Amino acid sequence: MEKYVIGLDYGSDSARAIVVNALTGETLATAVQYYPRWKAGKYCNPAINQYRQHPLDYIEVLEGTVTEALAKCPAGTAEKVVGIAFDTTGSTPAFTDATGTPLALLPEFAENPNAMFVLWKDHTAIQEAAEINKLAKEWDVDYTAYEGGIYSSEWFWAKALHVLREDEAVRRKAYSIVEYCEWLPALITGVTKSDDIVRSRCACGHKAMWHEKWGGLPSEEFLTKLDPLLAGFRERLFEKTETADKPVGTLSQEWAERLGLSTDVVIAGGAFDCHMGAIGAGITPYTFVRVIGTSTCDVMVASYEDIGHSLIRGICGQVDGSVIPGMIGLEAGQSGFGDIYAWFKHVLEFPIRNILGKTTVIDKETRERLIEETICNIIPELTREAEKIPVSESTIIATDWMNGRRTPDANQLLKGTITGLTLGSSAPRIFRALVEATAFGSKAIAERFRSEGIRIDNVIGIGGIALKSPFVMQTLSDVLDMPIKVCRTDQACALGAAMFAATAAGVYTKVEDAQKAMTSGFAREYFPNPENAKLYQEIYEKYLKLGEFTEKELFC
């Protein structure tokens, strides 16, 4: 009998749903929708690195994408759906009341950004992260030990504390805290108590300092020493976490009706997009999977024997079962990748929007069409010209820290730098330097894994940039001096979620079996140019020196 599963991938700007044959991995339909409030720029203030998302955005695109995708499928498909799984960005937490409802869904908090989900890229909690790091190093237990030894402003406790300090109304109402990837499964299974939300091993282990070694979350004494405002949250949160291959419940009657599905549909546990994306890409031990988008997430898995008692410094955590249950999941990444190219594009848009946008030489309709066409072609045209520049002429050096540094060694205070500019430095040459900078940042992560005893045998790239930009991927291959396979599907994260859905629904006994049956394979493979690889090693040394100067002299 045919069985279908739905994988839901919630990214920074949009969500996508795919309907997949659980036995073959064939994708029947895909639907993508942007978060309407986020797209309108609501609740965000880039000047202070504040990025918030309203839970209504998540709810609306959930119903919209699933019903749209099912409508594209052959008649009778909905009746054969057996499982659903979510992946989301992270750490993206929100405060809830005792029912587990995010505060922004309550009328009095409907327009309060502090009551909303604090997106991964929100860096308003830099001070709180610094305080956590200081106290962790003074405490008898270093709760950051399994999170690379450095706590980030992008993560759970820093964000929670920042909001509590900033907003008295939220402080009075907040009962608990939930990660985005935990709340969505709870929402559609009808959970009505915060205490009943199944907590994600992936989210809690990598971002909330959860570890079995010290009994779960950091102690109440540690948290209240950090700030008395955190008193009581540990008790109201959780002790246990679960891997995403386990079911958390079945579809509630309300959501079965809203989605046009059965209440027998099994809902899997949630996890972060990059971790499920690694599964969708076919991750195995010693494979370096790069989820390449606005930022990057880099994921590896290793056996208990390989890791032993080692602590990998400066990454985003090593967590038992966060990727493949029964193995240690390792996460790293860059706070900016595609966002860096987007930043440069926005810089170049200024005269187009502010000069051409006001011209009276042509009529309004023609003007608007011309502006749109020009802006859409900025990156493609920069790419065409940048590709023509030999590596030997790459004299502009940049760091990839426009959004701070995630790994190795998190530091969100850092800013990007560009050096080597001359009066002959054209836009394509600067763009090439930015592409090289993102590749050098990737190499720094790979080198950290290797220096910590984790070997890398092969590299897989997934995401829109991996599929759409041969220039970026070839540069990355040359800089890493390694071949890179690119996952065939453009929805690897959603496909990974579908694999977890199939496992939770009992179609497979373990997620590795789902991987083998449902894999999409690879679209192409990039191989390093030996001459370019040699030249890039020399430029990489300059990148490291620029980074050292930037960090020590400009942001010490």
Side-chain angles (χ1 to χ4, degrees), residues 165-225:
R165 287 174 170 175
E166 190 172 78
D167 198 309
E168 183 181 354
V170 169
R171 209 159 53 231
R172 288 197 306 266
K173 187 67 175 179
Y175 174 85
S176 189
I177 318 165
V178 69
E179 278 281 1
Y180 184 6
C181 68
E182 299 166 338
W183 176 65
L184 286 169
L187 173 72
I188 66 171
T189 55
V191 171
T192 57
K193 289 177 60 180
S194 173
D195 299 352
D196 293 339
I197 295 175
V198 176
R199 300 297 181 155
S200 165
R201 174 72 55 83
C202 173
C204 302
H206 283 283
K207 312 302 182 187
M209 298 186 284
W210 181 94
H211 199 278
E212 289 180 333
K213 181 177 180 180
W214 44 72
L217 293 169
S219 69
E220 180 75 1
E221 293 75 18
F222 176 86
L223 294 172
T224 54
K225 176 69 173 179

Side-chain angles (χ1 to χ4, degrees), residues 6-19 30-35 58 61-62 65-66 84-90 180 184 271-277 291 462-464 489-498:
I6 297 174
L8 284 148
D9 170 38
Y10 276 71
S12 297
D13 301 321
S14 61
R16 62 234 11 97
I18 63 171
V19 182
T30 300
V32 180
Q33 293 187 9
Y34 286 87
Y35 310 128
Y58 302 158
V61 299
L62 166 59
T65 56
V66 171
I84 294 175
F86 294 89
D87 72 66
T88 74
T89 64
Y180 184 6
L184 286 169
F272 290 153
D273 46 9
C274 58
H275 296 74
M276 285 192 172
V291 184
I462 67 175
T489 179
D490 61 348
Q491 304 295 350
C493 294
L495 179 60

